[in-house]
Amino acid sequence: MVERKPIGIVVGSPSTSEFEFKCIGTVRNNDFVEVYHDDRWHVFFVKSLRREGETLYASCTCLGRPPDTPLKVGLEVYAASEDNIRVTLGLTADYSKSVYLGMLRNYNVKVYIPVDRLNRIFVVGKPGSGKSYTAGVLIEELLKKDIPIVIIDVHGEYSSLKVAAKSGCMEFGVNPVSYVDRIIEFGDKKFNAAANIDISYLGEVSAEDLVLTGKCVIINLRGLDSDDQVSIVASVVNKLLDAAIARRIPPFYLVLDEAHRFVGREKSESQIVLRRFSQEGRKFGANLIVISQRPQLLDTTVRSLSGTWIIHRLSDPNDISIAVESGGLGRGWEDSIVWLGVGECIVTGEAVDRVPYIVRVRCRETIHGGAGFNPLDYISEDSLRNAEVKWRGLMKLGAIPKAVEVVAKPKVSPLINQYHLPVKFDLKFISSNLSSRFPFKFDFNGITLNYYPALDIKAIVNVKRSKPNVEFSDEYRAFIPLSNVSGELDYNSSRAYDIESFDESELSVSPSNFDKINYRNPDIDLSSLNSYEKIVKDFKKFLSLKLSYKLHYSTKFKVYSKCNEDLEEFKGRLREAGKEIFDSKCRKVVEKYEAKISKHNAIIKSLRDDIKIKVQSAKRLISTINDLKSKLRGLDPSSREYISISSKIQSLEDKLSKLNKMVSESNSELEYREKVVEDLKREMNDELRRLKSEFEDLGEFKTVVINLGGKDVDVEYVRLIWVPIFDGTVKISLKDLERNLSLHWNGYNGVGVYGKCDVCGSQITNLDSLEFCNICLSPLCSGHSLKCSACEATMCPEHSFKCDVCGRVFCVNEKSYTCSICGKKLCSDCVKHCVKCVFEVAYCGEHIHVCDDCGKSYCEIHYLEHLSKCGDCGREVCGESIVHCEICGKPLCRDCIHKCSVCGRVVCKDHVWKCSICGAEFCTDEEKHVCSICGRIICDKHVYKCPSCGREVCTNHVKVCPNCGRRVCESCIITVKRLFRYKTGCKLCLKP
């Protein structure tokens, strides 16, 4: 037995699920390690590395069931054995029921993923990372299991499955295999010669013919425009899903390459179908493999429903964030995704038993061209035989061309090449467009495809002159319709049958497939050799007379402009060309002067520093002198000390004088240097201005006109372009209404005549601008089609009305009203009704009154009738708000109502009185009191009967006797003289 060497020692504070170890051997990020603890081996995953000095530490997390107790510090850590890795990661599946994806990175461990875990797969990665290669590996593995596959191939990459690889791969144990006998390919044969069946037959094939046990059907969309691709994908996917739900087809996989084109964030026909496929397909055996380079562009529903994620290298932070979050990866995986190598991927999600892992994808067997059910349970010998029969039938279908009736193609000289423009806007497109926009029935009658001739001529102009010395090339192209030609050809024409330009790669020598094709004869003879020579000769003559080239000549720079170049544009180019020289001269001037200025600035800085030091020294001398002079005061001038101090003062003053002289000289030098710097800056600016003026002055310009000669023109080609034009009629039906419309449109760009507007009579040349009145079926242009604000139906002006209040337009099916006063047209939202008039009588807002009290609407007459007059204030108020006095019956408005505080009755102002103290109101039936002192009217609550005099007074005139404490009126408080003092009290306790 080989002795194993540890690669690390457990350190720190380990737990049951995580620990850190000190590395003593080779350890890499994402490695698998194992530790023997609690009588068994535990496998851990290295999630990060850090270095302290020369020591490397690794942080690990447990895979599978963690130990029952935390690891012990000091335990030895080993590189995990391959057997333990397989068991821990769940890579022990039955190989016969699994797909072989590749090997674990850095390990000789093959990765087999059970088929029953692969339901909805998302393969993602930036271009060149290997995502299409991985998809090819998955397809090869599924074909080995006889599982049906339908591939939506945008770029024609998967045709390579028919071709075996050049050599095998010993490392992965893979041998070359060709699956040509298992693949049937639909494609546009003009672009995909290897396609078995032209894609035009795809609509005739049922879902049962597409999902064949043991076979792979490739729908190659290369060469088709994006709209056609979306339409085909939507149709096929919808057909497959309906068949899967009805259980008419076995479980299969739909491979969707470049998925963001068909199920992106923007709503489209294919997006709706594919979202439904992703949501409902799994339970019916319709599996999905999504391939995309930009997950952030994909529909969130499809993305979130992906069970298994196979992630290749990504660089966009948003894409990485989505992959980490949607794939269920933890923190720390972002760096791993960024640094994945080509052919390396992270597998995560439902296919992973425990934790994500990094896989090196195996080699392809073919060359590389650019929880529901187990599909294996549905593979049987009978299904294989039935699929073989259907497959052979489809192969025969590809060999049978559609019957096309071509009528009278004109004879054309062999020197004139003939090409057909493709039909992009066919009858199917027109029918689909109209049916999707209008709720009518469209019956097309007598639709024919007519090819109209157009002459496409291109000439190259090569001009070479010695005087002036110029040489240049140009080209001229004419595109001339050959129908309704009167006289000579119009070589000025660059537009034929509403076409100005087209893609050269779209030209075809054969016409498009259609039941009946007619060719319109050119109005000039193109059948003879002389006709070709005449066209070339006439075209050269036309160009020599038409074309002349104006050149501008710069006398300063001695160069010519381009052909017919604008003078200002030519000057701009000259300035741009001279700018580098100008900038170089300016830099040299600045460098020269800045060197001088820098030298003087250094001297100026030195002088300023020197002056600063000398000034500070002078200040110290002055301070010292002043101190010494203060000491002289009070000393005898004849004393030795006086004489000594005076001597020092004299010496310091001499030194100060010299120092002041030096400062003065330095200041003079400083002023001189500063002036020199200013002069240098001024000189530099003057020179820069001179250079700028020299640069902006471009000198004189001369104009030269060059006329062409016959030798200057060379006709590159003369070719006949057949433009597809459709003609016919369509019957439009809506209930009992019918309308016939003549159609004439260009099959290449869709421009044509789609009827005339019934309002203005103008031709409708764009299909998208065609509208119909939903009431009378009148065709309308976009300028005269109106949209009902209520039902949103399109209508003509005749079957519409406009509300004179809100300004909105409505169809005549909506209820309209007319104001009985001013005659304004009103809609249902703006009409007003009087509560007294009959409902049919309508009013506008200006002729209706809304009562502020009752809130009801009245016409002017009924509004006045419903008013009543208040008996107190005399105002006219709402009759429903009138209240009558309960004593005299007088009508009262709300502002004139008085309510008794005792009995609660409503009374008028003639039958109410108010307490002067509390302000409460009382009806006249309630007793009122009058204060005998102040005369104010008071209520029961504020009246008091004096026990002394018996009079009624208000509470404001009640006093408390200071002698006996009784409450009496203030008139009964008296003051009486008793013996030698006065005493105050009430009349009850103090007798006068």
mmCIF file of all heavy atoms in Angstrom, residues 152-155 219 221 225-234 237 255-275 291 297-299 302:
data_model
loop_
_atom_site.group_PDB
_atom_site.id
_atom_site.type_symbol
_atom_site.label_atom_id
_atom_site.label_comp_id
_atom_site.label_asym_id
_atom_site.label_seq_id
_atom_site.Cartn_x
_atom_site.Cartn_y
_atom_site.Cartn_z
ATOM 1 N N ILE A 152 -32.945 24.178 -32.731
ATOM 2 C CA ILE A 152 -33.107 25.475 -33.405
ATOM 3 C C ILE A 152 -31.705 26.037 -33.599
ATOM 4 O O ILE A 152 -31.063 26.514 -32.662
ATOM 5 C CB ILE A 152 -33.970 26.440 -32.571
ATOM 6 C CG1 ILE A 152 -35.339 25.813 -32.273
ATOM 7 C CG2 ILE A 152 -34.126 27.768 -33.300
ATOM 8 C CD1 ILE A 152 -36.183 25.526 -33.481
ATOM 9 N N ASP A 153 -31.191 25.969 -34.837
ATOM 10 C CA ASP A 153 -29.804 26.303 -35.143
ATOM 11 C C ASP A 153 -29.775 27.622 -35.901
ATOM 12 O O ASP A 153 -30.174 27.691 -37.068
ATOM 13 C CB ASP A 153 -29.193 25.173 -35.975
ATOM 14 C CG ASP A 153 -27.693 25.360 -36.187
ATOM 15 O OD1 ASP A 153 -27.141 26.350 -35.666
ATOM 16 O OD2 ASP A 153 -27.083 24.528 -36.876
ATOM 17 N N VAL A 154 -29.305 28.693 -35.240
ATOM 18 C CA VAL A 154 -29.321 30.028 -35.850
ATOM 19 C C VAL A 154 -28.206 30.196 -36.863
ATOM 20 O O VAL A 154 -28.399 30.776 -37.932
ATOM 21 C CB VAL A 154 -29.216 31.115 -34.754
ATOM 22 C CG1 VAL A 154 -29.159 32.495 -35.386
ATOM 23 C CG2 VAL A 154 -30.405 31.022 -33.806
ATOM 24 N N HIS A 155 -27.016 29.666 -36.549
ATOM 25 C CA HIS A 155 -25.843 29.910 -37.389
ATOM 26 C C HIS A 155 -25.408 28.695 -38.213
ATOM 27 O O HIS A 155 -24.373 28.743 -38.864
ATOM 28 C CB HIS A 155 -24.667 30.359 -36.525
ATOM 29 C CG HIS A 155 -24.959 31.585 -35.729
ATOM 30 N ND1 HIS A 155 -25.312 32.779 -36.313
ATOM 31 C CD2 HIS A 155 -24.975 31.811 -34.378
ATOM 32 C CE1 HIS A 155 -25.517 33.685 -35.379
ATOM 33 N NE2 HIS A 155 -25.339 33.128 -34.199
ATOM 34 N N ILE A 219 -33.266 22.481 -37.398
ATOM 35 C CA ILE A 219 -33.940 23.551 -38.144
ATOM 36 C C ILE A 219 -32.922 24.678 -38.301
ATOM 37 O O ILE A 219 -32.684 25.467 -37.385
ATOM 38 C CB ILE A 219 -35.206 24.025 -37.414
ATOM 39 C CG1 ILE A 219 -36.181 22.853 -37.264
ATOM 40 C CG2 ILE A 219 -35.860 25.176 -38.158
ATOM 41 C CD1 ILE A 219 -37.397 23.161 -36.438
ATOM 42 N N LEU A 221 -31.570 27.987 -39.463
ATOM 43 C CA LEU A 221 -32.141 29.296 -39.799
ATOM 44 C C LEU A 221 -31.144 30.221 -40.475
ATOM 45 O O LEU A 221 -31.451 31.404 -40.694
ATOM 46 C CB LEU A 221 -32.681 29.964 -38.529
ATOM 47 C CG LEU A 221 -33.743 29.181 -37.759
ATOM 48 C CD1 LEU A 221 -34.109 29.933 -36.486
ATOM 49 C CD2 LEU A 221 -34.976 28.946 -38.598
ATOM 50 N N ASP A 225 -33.927 36.247 -42.447
ATOM 51 C CA ASP A 225 -33.911 37.470 -41.651
ATOM 52 C C ASP A 225 -34.527 37.193 -40.275
ATOM 53 O O ASP A 225 -35.185 36.178 -40.053
ATOM 54 C CB ASP A 225 -34.637 38.620 -42.364
ATOM 55 C CG ASP A 225 -36.099 38.352 -42.623
ATOM 56 O OD1 ASP A 225 -36.800 37.901 -41.698
ATOM 57 O OD2 ASP A 225 -36.536 38.594 -43.749
ATOM 58 N N SER A 226 -34.297 38.106 -39.350
ATOM 59 C CA SER A 226 -34.661 37.872 -37.952
ATOM 60 C C SER A 226 -36.161 37.685 -37.772
ATOM 61 O O SER A 226 -36.602 36.864 -36.963
ATOM 62 C CB SER A 226 -34.165 39.039 -37.080
ATOM 63 O OG SER A 226 -34.704 40.259 -37.542
ATOM 64 N N ASP A 227 -36.981 38.433 -38.521
ATOM 65 C CA ASP A 227 -38.435 38.292 -38.379
ATOM 66 C C ASP A 227 -38.900 36.908 -38.802
ATOM 67 O O ASP A 227 -39.755 36.295 -38.152
ATOM 68 C CB ASP A 227 -39.146 39.370 -39.205
ATOM 69 C CG ASP A 227 -38.962 40.755 -38.638
ATOM 70 O OD1 ASP A 227 -38.624 40.852 -37.439
ATOM 71 O OD2 ASP A 227 -39.141 41.737 -39.372
ATOM 72 N N ASP A 228 -38.345 36.403 -39.920
ATOM 73 C CA ASP A 228 -38.700 35.054 -40.361
ATOM 74 C C ASP A 228 -38.250 34.002 -39.355
ATOM 75 O O ASP A 228 -38.949 33.017 -39.104
ATOM 76 C CB ASP A 228 -38.062 34.769 -41.722
ATOM 77 C CG ASP A 228 -38.751 35.535 -42.842
ATOM 78 O OD1 ASP A 228 -39.898 35.996 -42.627
ATOM 79 O OD2 ASP A 228 -38.144 35.678 -43.916
ATOM 80 N N GLN A 229 -37.067 34.216 -38.769
ATOM 81 C CA GLN A 229 -36.576 33.269 -37.764
ATOM 82 C C GLN A 229 -37.518 33.203 -36.566
ATOM 83 O O GLN A 229 -37.880 32.119 -36.095
ATOM 84 C CB GLN A 229 -35.170 33.677 -37.305
ATOM 85 C CG GLN A 229 -34.100 33.492 -38.352
ATOM 86 C CD GLN A 229 -32.724 33.879 -37.840
ATOM 87 O OE1 GLN A 229 -32.556 34.303 -36.697
ATOM 88 N NE2 GLN A 229 -31.719 33.725 -38.683
ATOM 89 N N VAL A 230 -37.940 34.378 -36.092
ATOM 90 C CA VAL A 230 -38.858 34.424 -34.946
ATOM 91 C C VAL A 230 -40.173 33.729 -35.283
ATOM 92 O O VAL A 230 -40.710 32.956 -34.480
ATOM 93 C CB VAL A 230 -39.100 35.892 -34.525
ATOM 94 C CG1 VAL A 230 -40.247 35.977 -33.530
ATOM 95 C CG2 VAL A 230 -37.841 36.483 -33.926
ATOM 96 N N SER A 231 -40.690 33.982 -36.481
ATOM 97 C CA SER A 231 -41.966 33.388 -36.878
ATOM 98 C C SER A 231 -41.862 31.870 -36.971
ATOM 99 O O SER A 231 -42.756 31.144 -36.517
ATOM 100 C CB SER A 231 -42.391 33.984 -38.220
ATOM 101 O OG SER A 231 -43.600 33.409 -38.660
ATOM 102 N N ILE A 232 -40.773 31.367 -37.561
ATOM 103 C CA ILE A 232 -40.591 29.918 -37.704
ATOM 104 C C ILE A 232 -40.463 29.258 -36.343
ATOM 105 O O ILE A 232 -41.082 28.223 -36.068
ATOM 106 C CB ILE A 232 -39.358 29.628 -38.580
ATOM 107 C CG1 ILE A 232 -39.647 30.015 -40.029
ATOM 108 C CG2 ILE A 232 -38.950 28.164 -38.481
ATOM 109 C CD1 ILE A 232 -38.438 29.946 -40.937
ATOM 110 N N VAL A 233 -39.650 29.857 -35.456
ATOM 111 C CA VAL A 233 -39.459 29.277 -34.117
ATOM 112 C C VAL A 233 -40.773 29.240 -33.356
ATOM 113 O O VAL A 233 -41.121 28.238 -32.716
ATOM 114 C CB VAL A 233 -38.392 30.081 -33.333
ATOM 115 C CG1 VAL A 233 -38.356 29.644 -31.879
ATOM 116 C CG2 VAL A 233 -37.027 29.897 -33.968
ATOM 117 N N ALA A 234 -41.550 30.322 -33.421
ATOM 118 C CA ALA A 234 -42.835 30.358 -32.713
ATOM 119 C C ALA A 234 -43.765 29.266 -33.236
ATOM 120 O O ALA A 234 -44.433 28.565 -32.456
ATOM 121 C CB ALA A 234 -43.478 31.734 -32.876
ATOM 122 N N VAL A 237 -42.306 25.629 -32.189
ATOM 123 C CA VAL A 237 -42.408 25.366 -30.750
ATOM 124 C C VAL A 237 -43.869 25.194 -30.336
ATOM 125 O O VAL A 237 -44.201 24.319 -29.527
ATOM 126 C CB VAL A 237 -41.736 26.507 -29.947
ATOM 127 C CG1 VAL A 237 -41.967 26.326 -28.459
ATOM 128 C CG2 VAL A 237 -40.251 26.556 -30.244
ATOM 129 N N VAL A 255 -33.484 21.995 -28.341
ATOM 130 C CA VAL A 255 -32.237 22.742 -28.144
ATOM 131 C C VAL A 255 -32.422 24.109 -28.791
ATOM 132 O O VAL A 255 -32.626 24.204 -30.009
ATOM 133 C CB VAL A 255 -31.040 22.004 -28.758
ATOM 134 C CG1 VAL A 255 -29.757 22.808 -28.546
ATOM 135 C CG2 VAL A 255 -30.906 20.616 -28.139
ATOM 136 N N LEU A 256 -32.356 25.169 -27.985
ATOM 137 C CA LEU A 256 -32.592 26.537 -28.460
ATOM 138 C C LEU A 256 -31.290 27.324 -28.418
ATOM 139 O O LEU A 256 -30.882 27.824 -27.368
ATOM 140 C CB LEU A 256 -33.663 27.220 -27.590
ATOM 141 C CG LEU A 256 -34.135 28.600 -28.049
ATOM 142 C CD1 LEU A 256 -34.813 28.507 -29.401
ATOM 143 C CD2 LEU A 256 -35.080 29.203 -27.020
ATOM 144 N N ASP A 257 -30.620 27.407 -29.571
ATOM 145 C CA ASP A 257 -29.366 28.147 -29.640
ATOM 146 C C ASP A 257 -29.651 29.648 -29.788
ATOM 147 O O ASP A 257 -30.673 30.041 -30.370
ATOM 148 C CB ASP A 257 -28.548 27.652 -30.835
ATOM 149 C CG ASP A 257 -27.101 28.134 -30.763
ATOM 150 O OD1 ASP A 257 -26.647 28.502 -29.660
ATOM 151 O OD2 ASP A 257 -26.430 28.146 -31.810
ATOM 152 N N GLU A 258 -28.719 30.492 -29.241
ATOM 153 C CA GLU A 258 -28.907 31.953 -29.263
ATOM 154 C C GLU A 258 -30.304 32.311 -28.751
ATOM 155 O O GLU A 258 -31.073 33.038 -29.386
ATOM 156 C CB GLU A 258 -28.694 32.510 -30.673
ATOM 157 C CG GLU A 258 -27.328 32.253 -31.246
ATOM 158 C CD GLU A 258 -26.217 32.994 -30.500
ATOM 159 O OE1 GLU A 258 -26.520 33.968 -29.804
ATOM 160 O OE2 GLU A 258 -25.067 32.572 -30.608
ATOM 161 N N ALA A 259 -30.629 31.781 -27.571
ATOM 162 C CA ALA A 259 -31.998 31.873 -27.054
ATOM 163 C C ALA A 259 -32.471 33.307 -26.868
ATOM 164 O O ALA A 259 -33.662 33.596 -26.973
ATOM 165 C CB ALA A 259 -32.088 31.116 -25.729
ATOM 166 N N HIS A 260 -31.545 34.232 -26.581
ATOM 167 C CA HIS A 260 -31.967 35.621 -26.329
ATOM 168 C C HIS A 260 -32.618 36.255 -27.554
ATOM 169 O O HIS A 260 -33.308 37.269 -27.440
ATOM 170 C CB HIS A 260 -30.760 36.459 -25.884
ATOM 171 C CG HIS A 260 -29.577 36.358 -26.802
ATOM 172 N ND1 HIS A 260 -28.630 35.376 -26.672
ATOM 173 C CD2 HIS A 260 -29.208 37.106 -27.858
ATOM 174 C CE1 HIS A 260 -27.710 35.535 -27.612
ATOM 175 N NE2 HIS A 260 -28.041 36.577 -28.352
ATOM 176 N N ARG A 261 -32.407 35.670 -28.741
ATOM 177 C CA ARG A 261 -33.063 36.199 -29.943
ATOM 178 C C ARG A 261 -34.562 35.901 -29.953
ATOM 179 O O ARG A 261 -35.344 36.654 -30.533
ATOM 180 C CB ARG A 261 -32.445 35.577 -31.197
ATOM 181 C CG ARG A 261 -31.025 36.013 -31.504
ATOM 182 C CD ARG A 261 -30.656 35.537 -32.887
ATOM 183 N NE ARG A 261 -29.330 36.002 -33.266
ATOM 184 C CZ ARG A 261 -28.887 36.022 -34.522
ATOM 185 N NH1 ARG A 261 -29.696 35.630 -35.490
ATOM 186 N NH2 ARG A 261 -27.679 36.427 -34.804
ATOM 187 N N PHE A 262 -34.943 34.787 -29.356
ATOM 188 C CA PHE A 262 -36.325 34.325 -29.459
ATOM 189 C C PHE A 262 -37.111 34.449 -28.166
ATOM 190 O O PHE A 262 -38.331 34.475 -28.189
ATOM 191 C CB PHE A 262 -36.339 32.858 -29.921
ATOM 192 C CG PHE A 262 -35.509 32.617 -31.137
ATOM 193 C CD1 PHE A 262 -34.298 31.944 -31.060
ATOM 194 C CD2 PHE A 262 -35.913 33.090 -32.378
ATOM 195 C CE1 PHE A 262 -33.517 31.729 -32.188
ATOM 196 C CE2 PHE A 262 -35.150 32.883 -33.506
ATOM 197 C CZ PHE A 262 -33.940 32.204 -33.413
ATOM 198 N N VAL A 263 -36.431 34.497 -27.047
ATOM 199 C CA VAL A 263 -37.144 34.606 -25.777
ATOM 200 C C VAL A 263 -36.425 35.625 -24.902
ATOM 201 O O VAL A 263 -36.024 35.350 -23.782
ATOM 202 C CB VAL A 263 -37.285 33.218 -25.087
ATOM 203 C CG1 VAL A 263 -35.924 32.629 -24.759
ATOM 204 C CG2 VAL A 263 -38.188 33.257 -23.882
ATOM 205 N N GLY A 264 -36.257 36.840 -25.493
ATOM 206 C CA GLY A 264 -35.607 37.929 -24.777
ATOM 207 C C GLY A 264 -36.587 38.664 -23.888
ATOM 208 O O GLY A 264 -37.711 38.222 -23.639
ATOM 209 N N ARG A 265 -36.176 39.820 -23.420
ATOM 210 C CA ARG A 265 -37.018 40.607 -22.507
ATOM 211 C C ARG A 265 -38.187 41.254 -23.228
ATOM 212 O O ARG A 265 -39.254 41.444 -22.653
ATOM 213 C CB ARG A 265 -36.174 41.694 -21.829
ATOM 214 C CG ARG A 265 -35.163 41.126 -20.834
ATOM 215 C CD ARG A 265 -34.422 42.259 -20.166
ATOM 216 N NE ARG A 265 -33.545 41.768 -19.109
ATOM 217 C CZ ARG A 265 -32.778 42.552 -18.376
ATOM 218 N NH1 ARG A 265 -32.792 43.850 -18.569
ATOM 219 N NH2 ARG A 265 -32.002 42.054 -17.432
ATOM 220 N N GLU A 266 -37.976 41.608 -24.525
ATOM 221 C CA GLU A 266 -39.054 42.258 -25.260
ATOM 222 C C GLU A 266 -40.069 41.235 -25.722
ATOM 223 O O GLU A 266 -39.727 40.124 -26.121
ATOM 224 C CB GLU A 266 -38.475 43.012 -26.464
ATOM 225 C CG GLU A 266 -37.591 44.173 -26.081
ATOM 226 C CD GLU A 266 -37.106 44.951 -27.276
ATOM 227 O OE1 GLU A 266 -37.484 44.586 -28.411
ATOM 228 O OE2 GLU A 266 -36.362 45.907 -27.090
ATOM 229 N N LYS A 267 -41.325 41.633 -25.671
ATOM 230 C CA LYS A 267 -42.403 40.719 -26.022
ATOM 231 C C LYS A 267 -42.396 40.457 -27.516
ATOM 232 O O LYS A 267 -42.276 41.353 -28.327
ATOM 233 C CB LYS A 267 -43.749 41.320 -25.603
ATOM 234 C CG LYS A 267 -44.916 40.342 -25.689
ATOM 235 C CD LYS A 267 -46.167 40.952 -25.097
ATOM 236 C CE LYS A 267 -47.332 39.967 -25.122
ATOM 237 N NZ LYS A 267 -48.556 40.545 -24.551
ATOM 238 N N SER A 268 -42.489 39.189 -27.900
ATOM 239 C CA SER A 268 -42.547 38.792 -29.296
ATOM 240 C C SER A 268 -43.371 37.523 -29.407
ATOM 241 O O SER A 268 -43.734 36.896 -28.403
ATOM 242 C CB SER A 268 -41.133 38.567 -29.854
ATOM 243 O OG SER A 268 -40.528 37.464 -29.214
ATOM 244 N N GLU A 269 -43.628 37.134 -30.647
ATOM 245 C CA GLU A 269 -44.433 35.940 -30.893
ATOM 246 C C GLU A 269 -43.745 34.707 -30.323
ATOM 247 O O GLU A 269 -44.362 33.875 -29.671
ATOM 248 C CB GLU A 269 -44.650 35.793 -32.403
ATOM 249 C CG GLU A 269 -45.559 34.630 -32.789
ATOM 250 C CD GLU A 269 -45.701 34.517 -34.301
ATOM 251 O OE1 GLU A 269 -45.040 35.285 -35.028
ATOM 252 O OE2 GLU A 269 -46.463 33.655 -34.741
ATOM 253 N N SER A 270 -42.435 34.598 -30.564
ATOM 254 C CA SER A 270 -41.702 33.424 -30.071
ATOM 255 C C SER A 270 -41.531 33.457 -28.557
ATOM 256 O O SER A 270 -41.514 32.416 -27.905
ATOM 257 C CB SER A 270 -40.335 33.352 -30.750
ATOM 258 O OG SER A 270 -39.579 34.522 -30.474
ATOM 259 N N GLN A 271 -41.399 34.675 -27.976
ATOM 260 C CA GLN A 271 -41.216 34.760 -26.528
ATOM 261 C C GLN A 271 -42.417 34.194 -25.778
ATOM 262 O O GLN A 271 -42.283 33.464 -24.801
ATOM 263 C CB GLN A 271 -40.984 36.218 -26.117
ATOM 264 C CG GLN A 271 -40.642 36.377 -24.647
ATOM 265 C CD GLN A 271 -41.385 37.533 -23.988
ATOM 266 O OE1 GLN A 271 -42.571 37.713 -24.233
ATOM 267 N NE2 GLN A 271 -40.706 38.273 -23.134
ATOM 268 N N ILE A 272 -43.619 34.519 -26.260
ATOM 269 C CA ILE A 272 -44.836 34.048 -25.590
ATOM 270 C C ILE A 272 -44.913 32.520 -25.624
ATOM 271 O O ILE A 272 -45.204 31.869 -24.621
ATOM 272 C CB ILE A 272 -46.073 34.668 -26.267
ATOM 273 C CG1 ILE A 272 -46.063 36.201 -26.096
ATOM 274 C CG2 ILE A 272 -47.355 34.088 -25.702
ATOM 275 C CD1 ILE A 272 -47.114 36.913 -26.909
ATOM 276 N N VAL A 273 -44.615 31.940 -26.800
ATOM 277 C CA VAL A 273 -44.710 30.489 -26.945
ATOM 278 C C VAL A 273 -43.640 29.789 -26.110
ATOM 279 O O VAL A 273 -43.912 28.781 -25.442
ATOM 280 C CB VAL A 273 -44.582 30.110 -28.439
ATOM 281 C CG1 VAL A 273 -44.583 28.595 -28.607
ATOM 282 C CG2 VAL A 273 -45.708 30.718 -29.239
ATOM 283 N N LEU A 274 -42.408 30.316 -26.140
ATOM 284 C CA LEU A 274 -41.322 29.661 -25.410
ATOM 285 C C LEU A 274 -41.492 29.782 -23.902
ATOM 286 O O LEU A 274 -41.085 28.885 -23.150
ATOM 287 C CB LEU A 274 -39.983 30.267 -25.847
ATOM 288 C CG LEU A 274 -39.479 29.745 -27.197
ATOM 289 C CD1 LEU A 274 -38.377 30.638 -27.747
ATOM 290 C CD2 LEU A 274 -38.973 28.305 -27.057
ATOM 291 N N ARG A 275 -42.058 30.879 -23.430
ATOM 292 C CA ARG A 275 -42.340 30.983 -21.993
ATOM 293 C C ARG A 275 -43.333 29.895 -21.576
ATOM 294 O O ARG A 275 -43.152 29.238 -20.547
ATOM 295 C CB ARG A 275 -42.924 32.364 -21.661
ATOM 296 C CG ARG A 275 -41.903 33.469 -21.663
ATOM 297 C CD ARG A 275 -42.496 34.785 -21.240
ATOM 298 N NE ARG A 275 -42.904 34.772 -19.846
ATOM 299 C CZ ARG A 275 -43.423 35.821 -19.224
ATOM 300 N NH1 ARG A 275 -43.600 36.941 -19.864
ATOM 301 N NH2 ARG A 275 -43.775 35.747 -17.960
ATOM 302 N N ILE A 291 -29.407 27.892 -24.786
ATOM 303 C CA ILE A 291 -28.006 28.274 -24.987
ATOM 304 C C ILE A 291 -27.968 29.769 -25.269
ATOM 305 O O ILE A 291 -28.657 30.259 -26.171
ATOM 306 C CB ILE A 291 -27.379 27.503 -26.167
ATOM 307 C CG1 ILE A 291 -27.569 25.994 -25.973
ATOM 308 C CG2 ILE A 291 -25.895 27.840 -26.317
ATOM 309 C CD1 ILE A 291 -27.303 25.193 -27.217
ATOM 310 N N LEU A 297 -30.021 39.192 -21.044
ATOM 311 C CA LEU A 297 -30.937 39.531 -22.132
ATOM 312 C C LEU A 297 -32.085 38.547 -22.239
ATOM 313 O O LEU A 297 -33.007 38.756 -23.023
ATOM 314 C CB LEU A 297 -30.179 39.562 -23.464
ATOM 315 C CG LEU A 297 -29.019 40.558 -23.570
ATOM 316 C CD1 LEU A 297 -28.395 40.490 -24.950
ATOM 317 C CD2 LEU A 297 -29.494 41.976 -23.274
ATOM 318 N N LEU A 298 -32.041 37.459 -21.452
ATOM 319 C CA LEU A 298 -33.046 36.404 -21.568
ATOM 320 C C LEU A 298 -34.255 36.723 -20.695
ATOM 321 O O LEU A 298 -34.163 37.402 -19.672
ATOM 322 C CB LEU A 298 -32.436 35.067 -21.137
ATOM 323 C CG LEU A 298 -33.100 33.807 -21.687
ATOM 324 C CD1 LEU A 298 -32.909 33.712 -23.193
ATOM 325 C CD2 LEU A 298 -32.525 32.563 -21.036
ATOM 326 N N ASP A 299 -35.422 36.225 -21.126
ATOM 327 C CA ASP A 299 -36.651 36.384 -20.349
ATOM 328 C C ASP A 299 -36.467 35.783 -18.960
ATOM 329 O O ASP A 299 -35.955 34.666 -18.801
ATOM 330 C CB ASP A 299 -37.802 35.683 -21.079
ATOM 331 C CG ASP A 299 -39.087 35.749 -20.281
ATOM 332 O OD1 ASP A 299 -39.693 36.820 -20.229
ATOM 333 O OD2 ASP A 299 -39.463 34.720 -19.702
ATOM 334 N N VAL A 302 -38.118 32.161 -18.216
ATOM 335 C CA VAL A 302 -37.382 31.024 -18.764
ATOM 336 C C VAL A 302 -36.094 30.810 -17.977
ATOM 337 O O VAL A 302 -35.710 29.681 -17.673
ATOM 338 C CB VAL A 302 -37.091 31.256 -20.259
ATOM 339 C CG1 VAL A 302 -36.218 30.143 -20.822
ATOM 340 C CG2 VAL A 302 -38.384 31.350 -21.041
#
